[in-house]
Amino acid sequence: MPSPRVVIIGAGIVGANLADELTARGWTDVTVLDRGPLPRTGGSTSHAPGLVFQTNPSKAMTDFARYTVEKFLELDCFLQVGGMEVATTPARWEDLKRKHGWATSWGVPGSLIDAGECVRRWPLLDGARIFGALHTPTDGLARAAKVVEVLAARAGSRGAKFIGSTRVTDVLQERGRVTGVRTGQGDFPADVVVSCAGFWGREIGAMAGVDVPLLPLAHQYAKTGPVAELVGRNSEEAEASLPILRHQDQDLYFREHVDRLGIGSYAHRPMPVDESTLDPSVTGTAMPSMLPFTEDDFAPSWEESKLLLPALRRTKVEEGFNGIFSFTPDGQSLVGESAGVRGFWLAEAIWVTHSAGIAKAVAQLLVDGHSEVDTHDIDVHRFEDVQLAPSYVHETAQQNFVEVYDILHPLQPKLSPRDLRVTPFHARQRELGAVFLEAGGWERPHWFEANAPLLKKLPHDALPPARDSWSAQFHSPIAAAEAWHTRNGVALYDMTPLKRVEISGPGSLEFLQSLTTNQLDKPVGSVTYTLMLDNAGGIRSDVTVARLEPELFQVGINGNIDVDHFVKHAPLGVRVRDITGGTCCVGVWGPLARDLVQPLSREDFSHTGLKYFRALKARIAGVPVVAMRLSYVGELGWEIYTGADNGLRLWDALWAAGRPLGVIAAGRAAFNSLRLEKGYRLWGTDVTTEHDPYEAGVGFAVRPAKGKFLGRDALEGRTATRRLRCLTIDDGRTVVLGKEPVFVDGVASGYVTSAAYGYTVGRPIAYAWLPATADVGRSVEIEYFGRRVAATVAAEPLVDPGMERIRR
């Protein structure tokens, strides 16, 4: 079968890596175009300082960086000098302990070293200013320009063509599919077009009618004159031997250039760039990605540099520039196929650090249909429509620049923009003192200050212990009262932000059957928990499918990535419609839920009238609803859906009827604790495409006997070598937050996914990936800010294993 015709736009480090990865997999009809001359095209690669720090809070990004290091070493284009991140404040030193945990979790070698060892490894440092550092011996410097030359030659030897000084002026398409690109030198037909255009990515996306949520920003880089202590230390070829250095307390990094130092700064004001105004010409001294150096912006950074490295007082800044690179609303890359133009792919906002790893993932997605590393963190479809607005991208990308080296809590929300998406219940939630965090543009209550008095009424054994300063951030003990009340009374949860689609039309059942693992051929009113797999058997999502009519289904999904997946596979006649914004949902849960709901409806909400995992069209207080007998918190109750126009009326009716029962509103903090006590998985956190259903503990949702479905054949003969396990913390008080390493017999063997305090069981809970041999009762240890915390593998679920509470 002939290779598809591929055009890659951009011959920088991403485009060159992608051409290499594709041709290595047999796709040899590859053309790489760039508006600039080859090999130094004038893009960000041409001036990149090349620092590669592998450790990242994202496992995927760490995996991508690790592969980049391995590949560039094999190409002899990497100086593995190691990396050091120094702490000059107590807060940063604690944060480095957390980062060391990430490194351990993701398999990157590293150690925490004291000030004396820092100075031994970096003699220019003022050791009196340092608490210590995280040292990672496998980090280093990528020779980005050389990488491009070597990869272009290798891909070229396999058939790829690299063509410079050729500007793409249009992306050609027909009937929703890409057909090629137009340039000043003629048209290039293609079956696949991949934009690797860097900060030109918005312009290329616009040609295809695709919004690319990317903002070019300038970043300062300076070079000193000769530093006496470095003279004679390095050769021109081996231009660096000291570890690359990050001084994140002052938003600075440093690397050697033979006997000079390069200094990068994020400490200055954000400098957005309008790429349409750039001079595209490339000369020996100028290129579009290098703007004039603004000395006043750099002056404070220079003073801070001299404090950390006193040797710099005897030299000066001799040259500098403001280099352009790309930021996105969440600071992550943009990878994936366009929804509107099939065959048009993005691989944008990718820095040198992750270039080879992400290029490999894109090649695997194109050639194999799946990536061995989960890509949901960087999937271009992860954003909601509101997050694609130019004003949103402009503000949030700049804020990510400001915060690039900040110590950020995993729950820390944006301060702005806020209140972009509010549910119909928002006004009532504010009256109850809701504390909102934000996700996907939605305001989501995490707890309600109105429930604070309930803490005084809790049984003594239901009161949680005090938290440490880190886990206490963006948290309140009020969550304990909300969880207790859900288990013992009744609570209302706003489930509106959970995305849902309506799938309808002839062939809808067959379509859903082909993409999901469970049996959906059930009577109208059935609700089914099922999985969607990729073609390698990895879990690409878990969904809940309600059959409301013979050819009408409501599907609860995990986000826009799922919407794109459905739309991409939907046959003619099957309609996929995102109904999230036009509907709302209240979770009514707790042992008194039926006492609240039944008097408001003529329909039968008894256990026999509306069984577990069944749906019913009904009226509650006159409001038309769809009630689904589901409970993500493990208690009796329903997810109750109605149109957004009726939402406030529904809430008010439930609230009024529930007052004699002591109804409360409850938030996400209680919700997360309750779902972990029940052992319910959270896709994207507990499980991803890197895990199959059996090792993830959701094999009950797989029915191979139902017939063919995507990923079915890949599951045959699977043997689990790891399992997602429930852990309880032995000391009863330490609440970890996720991503911490787990040690079995003293060896780092896994990592925490989700964690919370279990208010019902009275101890902290963590879920973690561990070797399959780590059975129930096994003692393990979790590393939390540098100390080991004992934990025990527990049988799950911790609460109501017999399902009596949820089925009453």
Side-chain angles (χ1 to χ4, degrees), residues 586-620:
V586 185
V588 184
W589 292 313
L592 300 181
R594 187 172 287 119
D595 298 307
L596 192 163
V597 172
Q598 185 61 79
L600 299 177
S601 180
R602 294 182 178 180
E603 279 76 26
D604 185 0
F605 278 81
S606 69
H607 179 60
T608 54
L610 181 55
K611 294 181 179 179
Y612 189 51
F613 266 85
R614 295 283 295 177
L616 174 70
K617 290 183 178 180
R619 290 186 183 273
I620 293 177

Side-chain angles (χ1 to χ4, degrees), residues 6-340:
V6 180
V7 168
I8 298 171
I9 304 172
I13 199 161
V14 179
N17 266 293
L18 180 55
D20 178 65
E21 296 288 342
L22 287 174
T23 55
R25 288 165 175 77
W27 282 24
T28 55
D29 191 348
V30 175
T31 302
V32 185
L33 304 175
D34 202 289
R35 65 168 65 202
L38 301 179
R40 198 165 179 256
T41 65
S44 301
T45 301
S46 303
H47 62 71
L51 283 73
V52 178
F53 281 90
Q54 298 165 86
T55 304
N56 191 286
S58 163
K59 177 183 179 295
M61 298 306 280
T62 301
D63 287 343
F64 294 143
R66 182 192 294 109
Y67 179 76
T68 298
V69 168
E70 294 169 353
K71 183 172 182 177
F72 291 1
L73 277 171
E74 181 261 328
L75 297 175
D76 195 24
C77 295
F78 192 77
L79 293 174
Q80 199 162 51
V81 294
M84 278 175 52
E85 299 178 54
V86 296
T88 60
T89 64
R92 183 67 62 180
W93 181 233
E94 289 302 303
D95 190 56
L96 291 184
K97 294 176 184 177
R98 185 170 64 116
K99 286 188 175 180
H100 179 249
W102 295 340
T104 306
S105 290
W106 315 144
V108 175
S111 59
L112 294 166
I113 59 177
D114 62 20
E117 181 67 10
C118 290
V119 174
R120 190 185 73 78
R121 293 181 179 276
W122 241 93
L124 278 66
L125 285 166
D126 180 355
R129 293 184 174 275
I130 299 171
F131 286 81
L134 171 61
H135 177 248
T136 310
T138 55
D139 290 342
L141 292 165
R143 292 171 163 170
K146 183 181 177 184
V147 167
V148 170
E149 293 185 44
V150 171
L151 291 178
R154 188 160 79 177
S157 70
R158 303 182 187 124
K161 301 179 182 67
F162 283 72
I163 304 173
S165 302
T166 303
R167 179 177 178 178
V168 173
T169 58
D170 198 10
V171 175
L172 306 177
Q173 50 189 292
E174 185 177 323
R175 295 179 183 176
R177 281 208 61 87
V178 74
T179 59
V181 301
R182 179 156 292 156
T183 76
Q185 283 68 46
D187 293 353
F188 289 82
D191 305 299
V192 175
V193 172
V194 187
S195 178
C196 303
F199 60 81
W200 304 106
R202 292 192 300 189
E203 178 183 294
I204 300 299
M207 295 176 190
V210 175
D211 289 326
V212 180
L214 173 157
L215 182 69
L217 286 161
H219 161 59
Q220 290 200 297
Y221 192 75
K223 288 184 181 179
T224 70
V227 179
E229 289 80 353
L230 298 181
V231 173
R233 183 183 179 95
N234 304 309
S235 66
E236 290 291 334
E237 176 62 23
E239 58 183 302
S241 54
L242 295 175
I244 50 177
L245 180 68
R246 283 204 283 194
H247 179 23
Q248 293 178 301
D249 286 318
Q250 294 298 330
D251 297 311
L252 294 168
Y253 63 80
F254 306 87
R255 59 151 294 181
E256 292 173 283
H257 292 279
V258 189
D259 60 0
R260 303 195 293 166
L261 279 185
I263 307 171
S265 171
Y266 295 96
H268 55 82
R269 60 189 168 89
M271 302 177 188
V273 176
D274 181 353
E275 65 273 28
S276 68
T277 66
L278 298 174
D279 181 352
S281 59
V282 178
T283 67
T285 58
M287 60 180 67
S289 61
M290 296 175 68
L291 301 180
F293 191 58
T294 50
E295 294 182 5
D296 289 347
D297 289 305
F298 191 73
S301 293
W302 177 238
E303 294 305 313
E304 292 294 341
S305 298
K306 290 186 290 185
L307 290 174
L308 185 71
L309 306 170
L312 297 184
R313 297 168 186 164
R314 297 184 292 278
T315 187
K316 62 181 181 179
V317 174
E318 289 196 343
E319 60 180 290
F321 61 92
N322 292 357
I324 304 174
F325 63 157
S326 304
F327 269 81
T328 62
D330 61 2
Q332 297 281 24
S333 303
L334 301 170
V335 168
E337 185 182 19
S338 159

Side-chain angles (χ1 to χ4, degrees), residues 409-660:
H409 193 276
L411 292 177
Q412 189 164 327
K414 295 180 178 70
L415 296 179
S416 176
R418 292 295 294 271
D419 292 333
L420 297 176
R421 308 176 80 188
V422 298
T423 76
F425 323 129
H426 185 72
R428 298 293 182 261
Q429 292 165 345
R430 292 190 62 164
E431 291 169 2
L432 294 170
V435 176
F436 294 98
L437 301 186
E438 179 269 344
W442 286 105
E443 296 296 322
R444 295 160 57 136
H446 274 241
W447 66 87
F448 292 85
E449 291 294 334
N451 294 326
L454 296 176
L455 280 170
K456 298 178 182 179
K457 301 178 181 179
L458 289 184
H460 181 73
D461 59 1
L463 290 170
R467 293 193 175 204
D468 67 273
S469 59
W470 183 252
S471 65
Q473 292 185 50
F474 306 102
H475 173 77
S476 170
I478 292 172
E482 295 178 1
W484 188 91
H485 212 82
T486 306
R487 291 272 189 245
N488 295 278
V490 61
L492 306 184
Y493 287 81
D494 185 356
M495 305 302 291
T496 303
L498 301 185
K499 204 166 188 70
R500 48 201 166 273
V501 295
E502 182 182 272
I503 295 179
S504 60
S508 296
L509 172 63
E510 293 75 14
F511 165 60
L512 284 167
Q513 288 277 66
S514 71
L515 291 184
T516 62
T517 60
N518 213 335
Q519 177 59 262
L520 304 181
D521 191 3
K522 300 176 181 178
V524 169
S526 298
V527 183
T528 307
Y529 173 81
T530 185
L531 310 174
M532 294 196 293
L533 308 180
D534 63 18
N535 58 10
I539 303 172
R540 64 167 298 125
S541 191
D542 63 342
V543 301
T544 303
V545 181
R547 192 173 194 181
L548 303 181
E549 296 176 11
E551 294 179 336
L552 173 66
F553 298 83
Q554 181 174 311
V555 186
I557 60 176
N558 283 298
N560 273 345
I561 298 173
D562 290 346
V563 177
D564 178 70
H565 185 62
F566 281 130
V567 171
K568 182 184 296 183
H569 287 86
L572 191 65
V574 171
R575 185 184 184 196
V576 179
R577 187 167 69 97
D578 182 352
I579 61 172
T580 311
T583 57
C584 59
C585 178
V586 185
V588 184
W589 292 313
L592 300 181
R594 187 172 287 119
D595 298 307
L596 192 163
V597 172
Q598 185 61 79
L600 299 177
S601 180
R602 294 182 178 180
E603 279 76 26
D604 185 0
F605 278 81
S606 69
H607 179 60
T608 54
L610 181 55
K611 294 181 179 179
Y612 189 51
F613 266 85
R614 295 283 295 177
L616 174 70
K617 290 183 178 180
R619 290 186 183 273
I620 293 177
V623 177
V625 303
V626 173
M628 297 187 194
R629 182 85 184 275
L630 308 175
S631 177
Y632 206 49
V633 300
E635 292 294 329
L636 168 69
W638 306 270
E639 293 179 0
I640 301 176
Y641 295 88
T642 191
D645 55 337
N646 282 311
L648 188 58
R649 188 156 66 101
L650 175 64
W651 178 280
D652 286 346
L654 292 168
W655 187 260
R659 295 306 289 162

Side-chain angles (χ1 to χ4, degrees), residues 714-734:
L715 294 180
E716 291 184 9
R718 289 288 180 97
T719 301
T721 59
R722 58 182 176 175
R723 299 281 187 189
L724 184 63
R725 296 295 198 192
C726 176
L727 309 178
T728 56
I729 310 300
D730 292 356
D731 66 16
R733 65 178 184 276
T734 301

